[in-house]
Amino acid sequence: MEAPLYPDFPLQPSTPRGGQPAFWVGPRHLAGDDGRLYDAVADTLAGLGWTSLTIVRGRHEPDEAPEDLQVLRSTVLHISPDTLRWAQWSLADEPFHLGDLPIAWQISARTDTSSPLASWSAYFTPDVPGEAVTDFLAALDARDQPAVLYAGPDLVLDAVAAHGWLRDIDQPHAAATDPTFTSHISLGEVPPLIQDADPRALTTEADEASPAGWRAWAEPALAAPCLWAASFGSSVPHDLVAAFAASLSSTAPVLRRVLPEATQERLLRAPAI
């Protein structure tokens, strides 16, 4: 069981003038998104030169004041300069769920501009650490061909094993968990509705195994609700998933002002002075 670095400091100390206090916390995979998952990703994409588009759907009655506009759905879409990759913030747009958690970011890529369809998509719920999502996006942005496989799945497990995660005894080439057995990553059947261009994903019969994709999640306690979840279509290049996995399992502390209630007692923390 992990304990606070400074137990005399309360988890939610009084807020000083100028805003909430900040902590350096770890492990990263249990640190949540600080309530800034949109901002962290959007700022990264702006720095990479991606264009953002906002679509707002609503109802406006005659003589209605602008502040009374009834917004029904809204979407923020970020598109790379070559238009081969894009990221959609869907939390405000009636998202579908991954397990019991709503999808916050959907990230997609295609092989060329002649097709409007994504070759693959990856999905992230709230409380996925923003650092892991931005590192995934940075790796995606750096790729000349965002939908071409360059490496095998061992790259992903090697990334987390380098940070002390344990390979699954029964599936050493397909799954790993952190040393406290709260966060997991595995290669296997993907959940329903995960978009992928692999034709087998559409033609698989009920008694056949569908193409395998990566999944990751944090379960703070046995049979407890998940803190976060991420899912990658079967065609997501393994090196991109490895970039996510390496960042997720990193032992470097992260700066947080908002700590997840479900994992507060498991976090090492020190005031950021």
Side-chain angles (χ1 to χ4, degrees), residues 56-120:
V56 177
R57 305 172 181 86
R59 181 183 296 112
H60 190 274
E61 302 294 338
D63 302 322
E64 185 178 36
E67 60 269 19
D68 295 329
L69 174 66
Q70 300 178 49
V71 176
L72 301 181
R73 304 180 72 188
S74 62
T75 300
V76 183
L77 185 66
H78 300 257
I79 305 173
S80 66
D82 62 6
T83 71
L84 291 179
R85 51 214 104 190
W86 59 94
Q88 178 179 327
W89 173 257
S90 57
L91 197 60
D93 196 25
E94 299 180 11
F96 70 87
H97 285 62
L98 191 58
D100 294 325
L101 299 173
I103 298 297
W105 279 104
Q106 176 179 338
I107 299 169
S108 307
R110 56 183 175 174
T111 54
D112 59 70
T113 57
S114 63
S115 173
L117 301 178
S119 297
W120 57 258

Short mmCIF file of all heavy atoms in Angstrom, two decimals, residues 56-120:
data_model
loop_
_atom_site.label_atom_id
_atom_site.label_comp_id
_atom_site.label_asym_id
_atom_site.label_seq_id
_atom_site.Cartn_x
_atom_site.Cartn_y
_atom_site.Cartn_z
N VAL A 56 -21.62 23.71 -32.91
CA VAL A 56 -22.60 23.87 -31.84
C VAL A 56 -23.99 23.73 -32.45
O VAL A 56 -24.31 24.39 -33.43
CB VAL A 56 -22.46 25.23 -31.13
CG1 VAL A 56 -23.55 25.39 -30.07
CG2 VAL A 56 -21.08 25.37 -30.51
N ARG A 57 -24.78 22.86 -31.87
CA ARG A 57 -26.16 22.68 -32.31
C ARG A 57 -27.08 23.15 -31.20
O ARG A 57 -26.86 22.82 -30.04
CB ARG A 57 -26.43 21.20 -32.63
CG ARG A 57 -25.48 20.60 -33.65
CD ARG A 57 -25.71 19.10 -33.74
NE ARG A 57 -24.81 18.46 -34.68
CZ ARG A 57 -23.59 18.03 -34.37
NH1 ARG A 57 -23.15 18.20 -33.15
NH2 ARG A 57 -22.83 17.47 -35.28
N GLY A 58 -28.07 23.91 -31.55
CA GLY A 58 -28.95 24.42 -30.51
C GLY A 58 -30.28 24.89 -31.06
O GLY A 58 -30.56 24.77 -32.25
N ARG A 59 -31.08 25.44 -30.17
CA ARG A 59 -32.40 25.96 -30.54
C ARG A 59 -32.47 27.41 -30.10
O ARG A 59 -32.16 27.74 -28.96
CB ARG A 59 -33.50 25.14 -29.86
CG ARG A 59 -34.90 25.60 -30.21
CD ARG A 59 -35.95 24.80 -29.45
NE ARG A 59 -35.93 23.40 -29.84
CZ ARG A 59 -35.54 22.42 -29.02
NH1 ARG A 59 -35.13 22.72 -27.79
NH2 ARG A 59 -35.54 21.17 -29.42
N HIS A 60 -32.84 28.26 -31.02
CA HIS A 60 -32.92 29.69 -30.71
C HIS A 60 -34.32 30.18 -31.04
O HIS A 60 -34.76 30.09 -32.19
CB HIS A 60 -31.87 30.48 -31.49
CG HIS A 60 -31.74 31.90 -31.04
ND1 HIS A 60 -32.53 32.92 -31.52
CD2 HIS A 60 -30.91 32.48 -30.14
CE1 HIS A 60 -32.19 34.06 -30.94
NE2 HIS A 60 -31.21 33.82 -30.09
N GLU A 61 -35.00 30.67 -30.04
CA GLU A 61 -36.35 31.19 -30.24
C GLU A 61 -36.29 32.67 -30.62
O GLU A 61 -35.34 33.38 -30.28
CB GLU A 61 -37.17 31.03 -28.95
CG GLU A 61 -37.29 29.59 -28.46
CD GLU A 61 -38.08 28.72 -29.41
OE1 GLU A 61 -38.87 29.29 -30.20
OE2 GLU A 61 -37.90 27.49 -29.37
N PRO A 62 -37.31 33.14 -31.36
CA PRO A 62 -37.35 34.58 -31.69
C PRO A 62 -37.30 35.44 -30.45
O PRO A 62 -37.91 35.13 -29.42
CB PRO A 62 -38.69 34.72 -32.43
CG PRO A 62 -38.98 33.35 -32.95
CD PRO A 62 -38.43 32.40 -31.93
N ASP A 63 -36.53 36.50 -30.53
CA ASP A 63 -36.39 37.47 -29.44
C ASP A 63 -35.73 36.87 -28.19
O ASP A 63 -35.79 37.45 -27.10
CB ASP A 63 -37.76 38.07 -29.03
CG ASP A 63 -38.46 38.74 -30.19
OD1 ASP A 63 -37.76 39.39 -31.01
OD2 ASP A 63 -39.69 38.61 -30.30
N GLU A 64 -35.08 35.72 -28.36
CA GLU A 64 -34.41 35.09 -27.23
C GLU A 64 -33.01 35.67 -27.05
O GLU A 64 -32.28 35.86 -28.04
CB GLU A 64 -34.31 33.58 -27.44
CG GLU A 64 -33.72 32.82 -26.26
CD GLU A 64 -33.70 31.32 -26.53
OE1 GLU A 64 -33.45 30.93 -27.68
OE2 GLU A 64 -33.92 30.55 -25.58
N ALA A 65 -32.64 35.97 -25.82
CA ALA A 65 -31.31 36.52 -25.55
C ALA A 65 -30.25 35.45 -25.82
O ALA A 65 -30.50 34.26 -25.63
CB ALA A 65 -31.23 36.97 -24.09
N PRO A 66 -29.05 35.86 -26.28
CA PRO A 66 -28.00 34.87 -26.58
C PRO A 66 -27.68 33.96 -25.42
O PRO A 66 -27.41 32.77 -25.61
CB PRO A 66 -26.80 35.76 -26.95
CG PRO A 66 -27.39 37.04 -27.43
CD PRO A 66 -28.65 37.23 -26.60
N GLU A 67 -27.72 34.50 -24.19
CA GLU A 67 -27.38 33.66 -23.04
C GLU A 67 -28.44 32.60 -22.75
O GLU A 67 -28.21 31.67 -21.98
CB GLU A 67 -27.16 34.53 -21.80
CG GLU A 67 -28.36 35.36 -21.37
CD GLU A 67 -28.35 36.75 -22.02
OE1 GLU A 67 -27.65 36.93 -23.04
OE2 GLU A 67 -29.04 37.64 -21.50
N ASP A 68 -29.62 32.73 -23.37
CA ASP A 68 -30.68 31.75 -23.16
C ASP A 68 -30.71 30.68 -24.25
O ASP A 68 -31.61 29.83 -24.26
CB ASP A 68 -32.05 32.45 -23.12
CG ASP A 68 -32.18 33.37 -21.91
OD1 ASP A 68 -31.56 33.05 -20.87
OD2 ASP A 68 -32.86 34.40 -22.01
N LEU A 69 -29.75 30.72 -25.16
CA LEU A 69 -29.70 29.73 -26.23
C LEU A 69 -29.61 28.32 -25.66
O LEU A 69 -28.80 28.04 -24.77
CB LEU A 69 -28.48 29.98 -27.13
CG LEU A 69 -28.19 28.94 -28.22
CD1 LEU A 69 -29.31 28.96 -29.25
CD2 LEU A 69 -26.85 29.22 -28.88
N GLN A 70 -30.45 27.44 -26.15
CA GLN A 70 -30.46 26.06 -25.68
C GLN A 70 -29.53 25.22 -26.57
O GLN A 70 -29.89 24.88 -27.69
CB GLN A 70 -31.88 25.50 -25.73
CG GLN A 70 -32.88 26.27 -24.87
CD GLN A 70 -34.28 25.69 -25.00
OE1 GLN A 70 -34.48 24.48 -24.89
NE2 GLN A 70 -35.25 26.56 -25.25
N VAL A 71 -28.35 24.97 -26.08
CA VAL A 71 -27.39 24.17 -26.84
C VAL A 71 -27.73 22.70 -26.65
O VAL A 71 -27.76 22.19 -25.53
CB VAL A 71 -25.95 24.45 -26.37
CG1 VAL A 71 -24.97 23.54 -27.10
CG2 VAL A 71 -25.60 25.91 -26.61
N LEU A 72 -27.99 22.02 -27.77
CA LEU A 72 -28.35 20.61 -27.71
C LEU A 72 -27.14 19.71 -27.75
O LEU A 72 -27.02 18.76 -26.99
CB LEU A 72 -29.30 20.27 -28.86
CG LEU A 72 -30.61 21.06 -28.91
CD1 LEU A 72 -31.44 20.61 -30.09
CD2 LEU A 72 -31.38 20.88 -27.61
N ARG A 73 -26.23 19.99 -28.67
CA ARG A 73 -25.03 19.16 -28.80
C ARG A 73 -23.89 20.04 -29.28
O ARG A 73 -24.09 21.00 -30.02
CB ARG A 73 -25.26 18.02 -29.81
CG ARG A 73 -26.44 17.14 -29.51
CD ARG A 73 -26.60 16.05 -30.54
NE ARG A 73 -25.56 15.04 -30.41
CZ ARG A 73 -25.38 14.06 -31.29
NH1 ARG A 73 -26.12 13.98 -32.35
NH2 ARG A 73 -24.42 13.17 -31.10
N SER A 74 -22.71 19.72 -28.88
CA SER A 74 -21.54 20.47 -29.35
C SER A 74 -20.36 19.53 -29.47
O SER A 74 -20.20 18.60 -28.69
CB SER A 74 -21.20 21.63 -28.39
OG SER A 74 -20.88 21.13 -27.12
N THR A 75 -19.53 19.79 -30.46
CA THR A 75 -18.37 18.96 -30.74
C THR A 75 -17.19 19.86 -31.04
O THR A 75 -17.33 20.87 -31.71
CB THR A 75 -18.62 18.04 -31.96
OG1 THR A 75 -19.74 17.21 -31.69
CG2 THR A 75 -17.42 17.16 -32.25
N VAL A 76 -16.03 19.49 -30.52
CA VAL A 76 -14.79 20.19 -30.88
C VAL A 76 -13.93 19.19 -31.63
O VAL A 76 -13.61 18.11 -31.11
CB VAL A 76 -14.06 20.73 -29.65
CG1 VAL A 76 -12.81 21.51 -30.08
CG2 VAL A 76 -14.97 21.62 -28.83
N LEU A 77 -13.55 19.53 -32.85
CA LEU A 77 -12.76 18.66 -33.71
C LEU A 77 -11.43 19.32 -34.00
O LEU A 77 -11.37 20.48 -34.39
CB LEU A 77 -13.51 18.40 -35.01
CG LEU A 77 -12.88 17.41 -36.00
CD1 LEU A 77 -12.87 16.00 -35.40
CD2 LEU A 77 -13.66 17.42 -37.32
N HIS A 78 -10.34 18.58 -33.80
CA HIS A 78 -8.99 19.06 -34.08
C HIS A 78 -8.43 18.23 -35.24
O HIS A 78 -8.46 17.00 -35.18
CB HIS A 78 -8.09 18.93 -32.85
CG HIS A 78 -8.58 19.71 -31.66
ND1 HIS A 78 -8.04 20.90 -31.26
CD2 HIS A 78 -9.59 19.45 -30.78
CE1 HIS A 78 -8.67 21.35 -30.19
NE2 HIS A 78 -9.62 20.48 -29.88
N ILE A 79 -7.92 18.91 -36.27
CA ILE A 79 -7.47 18.23 -37.49
C ILE A 79 -6.02 18.58 -37.76
O ILE A 79 -5.62 19.75 -37.68
CB ILE A 79 -8.34 18.64 -38.69
CG1 ILE A 79 -9.82 18.39 -38.39
CG2 ILE A 79 -7.93 17.89 -39.95
CD1 ILE A 79 -10.76 18.93 -39.45
N SER A 80 -5.21 17.57 -38.08
CA SER A 80 -3.80 17.79 -38.38
C SER A 80 -3.64 18.54 -39.70
O SER A 80 -4.55 18.52 -40.55
CB SER A 80 -3.06 16.46 -38.45
OG SER A 80 -3.51 15.70 -39.56
N PRO A 81 -2.51 19.20 -39.92
CA PRO A 81 -2.31 19.96 -41.17
C PRO A 81 -2.46 19.11 -42.43
O PRO A 81 -2.93 19.62 -43.45
CB PRO A 81 -0.88 20.49 -41.03
CG PRO A 81 -0.67 20.60 -39.55
CD PRO A 81 -1.40 19.42 -38.97
N ASP A 82 -2.09 17.83 -42.38
CA ASP A 82 -2.23 16.99 -43.57
C ASP A 82 -3.59 16.31 -43.65
O ASP A 82 -3.86 15.54 -44.59
CB ASP A 82 -1.11 15.94 -43.63
CG ASP A 82 -1.14 14.97 -42.44
OD1 ASP A 82 -2.09 15.04 -41.63
OD2 ASP A 82 -0.20 14.16 -42.32
N THR A 83 -4.46 16.57 -42.69
CA THR A 83 -5.83 16.04 -42.58
C THR A 83 -5.88 14.51 -42.52
O THR A 83 -6.93 13.91 -42.72
CB THR A 83 -6.74 16.53 -43.73
OG1 THR A 83 -6.35 15.90 -44.96
CG2 THR A 83 -6.69 18.05 -43.88
N LEU A 84 -4.77 13.86 -42.22
CA LEU A 84 -4.75 12.40 -42.11
C LEU A 84 -5.09 11.92 -40.71
O LEU A 84 -5.31 10.73 -40.50
CB LEU A 84 -3.38 11.86 -42.51
CG LEU A 84 -2.99 11.98 -43.98
CD1 LEU A 84 -1.60 11.40 -44.22
CD2 LEU A 84 -4.01 11.28 -44.88
N ARG A 85 -5.12 12.82 -39.75
CA ARG A 85 -5.39 12.45 -38.36
C ARG A 85 -6.24 13.52 -37.71
O ARG A 85 -6.12 14.70 -38.04
CB ARG A 85 -4.09 12.19 -37.62
CG ARG A 85 -3.07 13.28 -37.72
CD ARG A 85 -1.64 12.77 -37.73
NE ARG A 85 -1.10 12.83 -39.09
CZ ARG A 85 0.06 12.28 -39.47
NH1 ARG A 85 0.80 11.64 -38.61
NH2 ARG A 85 0.47 12.37 -40.72
N TRP A 86 -7.08 13.11 -36.79
CA TRP A 86 -7.94 14.08 -36.12
C TRP A 86 -8.30 13.57 -34.73
O TRP A 86 -8.19 12.40 -34.43
CB TRP A 86 -9.20 14.35 -36.94
CG TRP A 86 -10.08 13.18 -37.25
CD1 TRP A 86 -11.17 12.74 -36.56
CD2 TRP A 86 -9.95 12.28 -38.37
NE1 TRP A 86 -11.72 11.63 -37.15
CE2 TRP A 86 -11.00 11.33 -38.27
CE3 TRP A 86 -9.05 12.19 -39.43
CZ2 TRP A 86 -11.17 10.30 -39.20
CZ3 TRP A 86 -9.21 11.16 -40.36
CH2 TRP A 86 -10.26 10.24 -40.24
N ALA A 87 -8.70 14.51 -33.89
CA ALA A 87 -9.08 14.20 -32.51
C ALA A 87 -10.38 14.93 -32.21
O ALA A 87 -10.51 16.12 -32.47
CB ALA A 87 -7.99 14.64 -31.54
N GLN A 88 -11.32 14.20 -31.66
CA GLN A 88 -12.64 14.76 -31.37
C GLN A 88 -12.95 14.69 -29.89
O GLN A 88 -12.88 13.63 -29.28
CB GLN A 88 -13.72 14.00 -32.15
CG GLN A 88 -15.14 14.48 -31.87
CD GLN A 88 -16.17 13.72 -32.67
OE1 GLN A 88 -15.91 13.30 -33.80
NE2 GLN A 88 -17.35 13.52 -32.10
N TRP A 89 -13.24 15.85 -29.32
CA TRP A 89 -13.70 15.91 -27.93
C TRP A 89 -15.19 15.67 -27.96
O TRP A 89 -15.96 16.50 -28.44
CB TRP A 89 -13.37 17.27 -27.32
CG TRP A 89 -13.93 17.50 -25.95
CD1 TRP A 89 -15.01 18.25 -25.62
CD2 TRP A 89 -13.44 16.97 -24.70
NE1 TRP A 89 -15.22 18.23 -24.26
CE2 TRP A 89 -14.27 17.46 -23.67
CE3 TRP A 89 -12.37 16.14 -24.38
CZ2 TRP A 89 -14.07 17.14 -22.34
CZ3 TRP A 89 -12.16 15.81 -23.05
CH2 TRP A 89 -13.00 16.32 -22.04
N SER A 90 -15.62 14.54 -27.46
CA SER A 90 -17.02 14.15 -27.61
C SER A 90 -17.78 14.11 -26.30
O SER A 90 -18.95 13.70 -26.28
CB SER A 90 -17.10 12.77 -28.28
OG SER A 90 -16.39 11.80 -27.53
N LEU A 91 -17.18 14.54 -25.22
CA LEU A 91 -17.83 14.44 -23.92
C LEU A 91 -19.12 15.26 -23.86
O LEU A 91 -20.08 14.86 -23.20
CB LEU A 91 -16.88 14.87 -22.80
CG LEU A 91 -17.26 14.45 -21.39
CD1 LEU A 91 -17.34 12.94 -21.27
CD2 LEU A 91 -16.27 14.99 -20.38
N ALA A 92 -19.15 16.40 -24.56
CA ALA A 92 -20.35 17.24 -24.56
C ALA A 92 -21.31 16.86 -25.67
O ALA A 92 -22.34 17.51 -25.86
CB ALA A 92 -19.94 18.71 -24.72
N ASP A 93 -21.00 15.80 -26.40
CA ASP A 93 -21.77 15.47 -27.60
C ASP A 93 -22.45 14.11 -27.47
O ASP A 93 -22.43 13.29 -28.38
CB ASP A 93 -20.84 15.47 -28.81
CG ASP A 93 -21.62 15.52 -30.12
OD1 ASP A 93 -22.76 16.01 -30.11
OD2 ASP A 93 -21.08 15.05 -31.13
N GLU A 94 -23.06 13.87 -26.32
CA GLU A 94 -23.75 12.61 -26.06
C GLU A 94 -22.88 11.41 -26.43
O GLU A 94 -23.21 10.62 -27.32
CB GLU A 94 -25.07 12.56 -26.85
CG GLU A 94 -26.04 13.66 -26.46
CD GLU A 94 -27.34 13.60 -27.25
OE1 GLU A 94 -27.55 12.59 -27.95
OE2 GLU A 94 -28.11 14.55 -27.16
N PRO A 95 -21.74 11.26 -25.78
CA PRO A 95 -20.81 10.19 -26.17
C PRO A 95 -21.33 8.81 -25.82
O PRO A 95 -22.18 8.64 -24.95
CB PRO A 95 -19.57 10.52 -25.33
CG PRO A 95 -20.13 11.16 -24.09
CD PRO A 95 -21.30 11.99 -24.59
N PHE A 96 -20.82 7.80 -26.54
CA PHE A 96 -21.11 6.44 -26.11
C PHE A 96 -20.15 6.08 -24.99
O PHE A 96 -19.20 6.81 -24.69
CB PHE A 96 -21.03 5.46 -27.29
CG PHE A 96 -19.66 5.20 -27.84
CD1 PHE A 96 -18.85 4.22 -27.29
CD2 PHE A 96 -19.19 5.90 -28.94
CE1 PHE A 96 -17.59 3.96 -27.80
CE2 PHE A 96 -17.93 5.65 -29.46
CZ PHE A 96 -17.13 4.68 -28.89
N HIS A 97 -20.40 4.96 -24.35
CA HIS A 97 -19.65 4.60 -23.15
C HIS A 97 -18.69 3.45 -23.40
O HIS A 97 -18.93 2.58 -24.24
CB HIS A 97 -20.61 4.23 -22.02
CG HIS A 97 -21.28 5.41 -21.39
ND1 HIS A 97 -22.12 6.25 -22.09
CD2 HIS A 97 -21.24 5.90 -20.13
CE1 HIS A 97 -22.57 7.20 -21.28
NE2 HIS A 97 -22.05 7.01 -20.09
N LEU A 98 -17.60 3.49 -22.68
CA LEU A 98 -16.63 2.41 -22.66
C LEU A 98 -16.74 1.80 -21.27
O LEU A 98 -16.32 2.41 -20.28
CB LEU A 98 -15.22 2.96 -22.90
CG LEU A 98 -14.10 1.96 -23.18
CD1 LEU A 98 -14.43 1.10 -24.38
CD2 LEU A 98 -12.78 2.69 -23.40
N GLY A 99 -17.38 0.63 -21.18
CA GLY A 99 -17.76 0.14 -19.88
C GLY A 99 -18.86 1.04 -19.34
O GLY A 99 -19.86 1.27 -19.99
N ASP A 100 -18.67 1.56 -18.17
CA ASP A 100 -19.65 2.49 -17.59
C ASP A 100 -19.18 3.94 -17.67
O ASP A 100 -19.79 4.82 -17.06
CB ASP A 100 -19.92 2.12 -16.12
CG ASP A 100 -20.59 0.77 -15.99
OD1 ASP A 100 -21.41 0.43 -16.87
OD2 ASP A 100 -20.30 0.06 -15.01
N LEU A 101 -18.12 4.20 -18.42
CA LEU A 101 -17.54 5.54 -18.48
C LEU A 101 -17.75 6.15 -19.85
O LEU A 101 -17.59 5.48 -20.88
CB LEU A 101 -16.04 5.48 -18.16
CG LEU A 101 -15.67 4.95 -16.78
CD1 LEU A 101 -14.15 4.78 -16.68
CD2 LEU A 101 -16.16 5.89 -15.69
N PRO A 102 -18.08 7.44 -19.93
CA PRO A 102 -18.27 8.09 -21.23
C PRO A 102 -16.94 8.34 -21.92
O PRO A 102 -15.92 8.60 -21.28
CB PRO A 102 -18.96 9.41 -20.86
CG PRO A 102 -18.46 9.71 -19.48
CD PRO A 102 -18.33 8.36 -18.80
N ILE A 103 -16.94 8.26 -23.23
CA ILE A 103 -15.75 8.58 -24.01
C ILE A 103 -15.55 10.09 -24.01
O ILE A 103 -16.48 10.86 -24.26
CB ILE A 103 -15.90 8.09 -25.47
CG1 ILE A 103 -16.06 6.57 -25.51
CG2 ILE A 103 -14.71 8.53 -26.30
CD1 ILE A 103 -14.88 5.81 -24.97
N ALA A 104 -14.35 10.53 -23.71
CA ALA A 104 -14.03 11.96 -23.74
C ALA A 104 -13.34 12.34 -25.05
O ALA A 104 -13.73 13.29 -25.72
CB ALA A 104 -13.15 12.33 -22.55
N TRP A 105 -12.28 11.62 -25.41
CA TRP A 105 -11.55 11.88 -26.65
C TRP A 105 -11.61 10.67 -27.56
O TRP A 105 -11.41 9.53 -27.11
CB TRP A 105 -10.07 12.19 -26.36
CG TRP A 105 -9.78 13.59 -25.92
CD1 TRP A 105 -9.50 14.01 -24.65
CD2 TRP A 105 -9.73 14.76 -26.75
NE1 TRP A 105 -9.28 15.36 -24.63
CE2 TRP A 105 -9.42 15.85 -25.90
CE3 TRP A 105 -9.92 14.99 -28.11
CZ2 TRP A 105 -9.29 17.15 -26.38
CZ3 TRP A 105 -9.80 16.28 -28.60
CH2 TRP A 105 -9.48 17.35 -27.74
N GLN A 106 -11.89 10.91 -28.83
CA GLN A 106 -11.77 9.89 -29.87
C GLN A 106 -10.72 10.39 -30.85
O GLN A 106 -10.85 11.48 -31.42
CB GLN A 106 -13.08 9.65 -30.59
CG GLN A 106 -12.96 8.65 -31.74
CD GLN A 106 -14.28 8.39 -32.45
OE1 GLN A 106 -15.35 8.62 -31.87
NE2 GLN A 106 -14.23 7.91 -33.68
N ILE A 107 -9.68 9.61 -31.05
CA ILE A 107 -8.57 10.00 -31.93
C ILE A 107 -8.51 9.01 -33.09
O ILE A 107 -8.58 7.79 -32.88
CB ILE A 107 -7.24 10.01 -31.15
CG1 ILE A 107 -7.32 11.04 -30.01
CG2 ILE A 107 -6.06 10.31 -32.07
CD1 ILE A 107 -6.18 10.96 -29.02
N SER A 108 -8.42 9.52 -34.31
CA SER A 108 -8.50 8.68 -35.49
C SER A 108 -7.44 9.06 -36.51
O SER A 108 -6.87 10.16 -36.47
CB SER A 108 -9.90 8.79 -36.14
OG SER A 108 -10.93 8.55 -35.21
N ALA A 109 -7.21 8.14 -37.46
CA ALA A 109 -6.26 8.41 -38.54
C ALA A 109 -6.69 7.62 -39.77
O ALA A 109 -7.41 6.62 -39.67
CB ALA A 109 -4.84 8.03 -38.13
N ARG A 110 -6.25 8.07 -40.94
CA ARG A 110 -6.54 7.38 -42.19
C ARG A 110 -5.27 7.33 -43.03
O ARG A 110 -4.31 8.06 -42.79
CB ARG A 110 -7.65 8.09 -42.96
CG ARG A 110 -7.38 9.57 -43.25
CD ARG A 110 -8.55 10.22 -43.94
NE ARG A 110 -8.33 11.66 -44.12
CZ ARG A 110 -9.15 12.46 -44.81
NH1 ARG A 110 -10.23 11.96 -45.38
NH2 ARG A 110 -8.89 13.75 -44.91
N THR A 111 -5.28 6.46 -44.03
CA THR A 111 -4.07 6.25 -44.83
C THR A 111 -3.87 7.35 -45.85
O THR A 111 -2.73 7.73 -46.15
CB THR A 111 -4.14 4.90 -45.56
OG1 THR A 111 -5.37 4.83 -46.31
CG2 THR A 111 -4.11 3.75 -44.55
N ASP A 112 -4.94 7.89 -46.41
CA ASP A 112 -4.81 8.97 -47.41
C ASP A 112 -6.08 9.80 -47.42
O ASP A 112 -7.10 9.42 -46.84
CB ASP A 112 -4.52 8.39 -48.81
CG ASP A 112 -5.59 7.44 -49.27
OD1 ASP A 112 -6.73 7.89 -49.57
OD2 ASP A 112 -5.32 6.22 -49.33
N THR A 113 -6.02 10.92 -48.10
CA THR A 113 -7.13 11.87 -48.08
C THR A 113 -8.25 11.51 -49.04
O THR A 113 -9.28 12.19 -49.07
CB THR A 113 -6.62 13.28 -48.43
OG1 THR A 113 -5.98 13.24 -49.72
CG2 THR A 113 -5.63 13.78 -47.39
N SER A 114 -8.07 10.44 -49.82
CA SER A 114 -9.11 10.06 -50.78
C SER A 114 -10.29 9.39 -50.11
O SER A 114 -11.36 9.27 -50.69
CB SER A 114 -8.52 9.13 -51.85
OG SER A 114 -8.07 7.92 -51.27
N SER A 115 -10.09 8.92 -48.88
CA SER A 115 -11.17 8.25 -48.16
C SER A 115 -11.56 9.07 -46.93
O SER A 115 -10.69 9.51 -46.17
CB SER A 115 -10.74 6.85 -47.72
OG SER A 115 -11.72 6.28 -46.88
N PRO A 116 -12.87 9.26 -46.72
CA PRO A 116 -13.29 9.99 -45.52
C PRO A 116 -13.32 9.12 -44.27
O PRO A 116 -13.55 9.62 -43.17
CB PRO A 116 -14.71 10.45 -45.90
CG PRO A 116 -15.20 9.36 -46.80
CD PRO A 116 -14.00 8.89 -47.58
N LEU A 117 -13.09 7.82 -44.44
CA LEU A 117 -13.20 6.89 -43.32
C LEU A 117 -11.88 6.72 -42.58
O LEU A 117 -10.81 6.71 -43.19
CB LEU A 117 -13.68 5.52 -43.82
CG LEU A 117 -15.03 5.51 -44.54
CD1 LEU A 117 -15.35 4.11 -45.02
CD2 LEU A 117 -16.14 6.03 -43.64
N ALA A 118 -11.97 6.56 -41.28
CA ALA A 118 -10.78 6.34 -40.47
C ALA A 118 -10.27 4.93 -40.65
O ALA A 118 -11.06 3.98 -40.75
CB ALA A 118 -11.09 6.60 -38.99
N SER A 119 -8.96 4.78 -40.68
CA SER A 119 -8.36 3.45 -40.71
C SER A 119 -8.40 2.83 -39.31
O SER A 119 -8.48 1.61 -39.16
CB SER A 119 -6.91 3.52 -41.19
OG SER A 119 -6.85 3.99 -42.51
N TRP A 120 -8.33 3.67 -38.29
CA TRP A 120 -8.43 3.20 -36.91
C TRP A 120 -8.85 4.35 -36.01
O TRP A 120 -8.76 5.52 -36.38
CB TRP A 120 -7.11 2.60 -36.42
CG TRP A 120 -5.89 3.51 -36.49
CD1 TRP A 120 -4.90 3.48 -37.42
CD2 TRP A 120 -5.55 4.57 -35.58
NE1 TRP A 120 -3.96 4.45 -37.16
CE2 TRP A 120 -4.32 5.13 -36.02
CE3 TRP A 120 -6.14 5.09 -34.44
CZ2 TRP A 120 -3.70 6.20 -35.37
CZ3 TRP A 120 -5.52 6.16 -33.77
CH2 TRP A 120 -4.31 6.69 -34.25
#
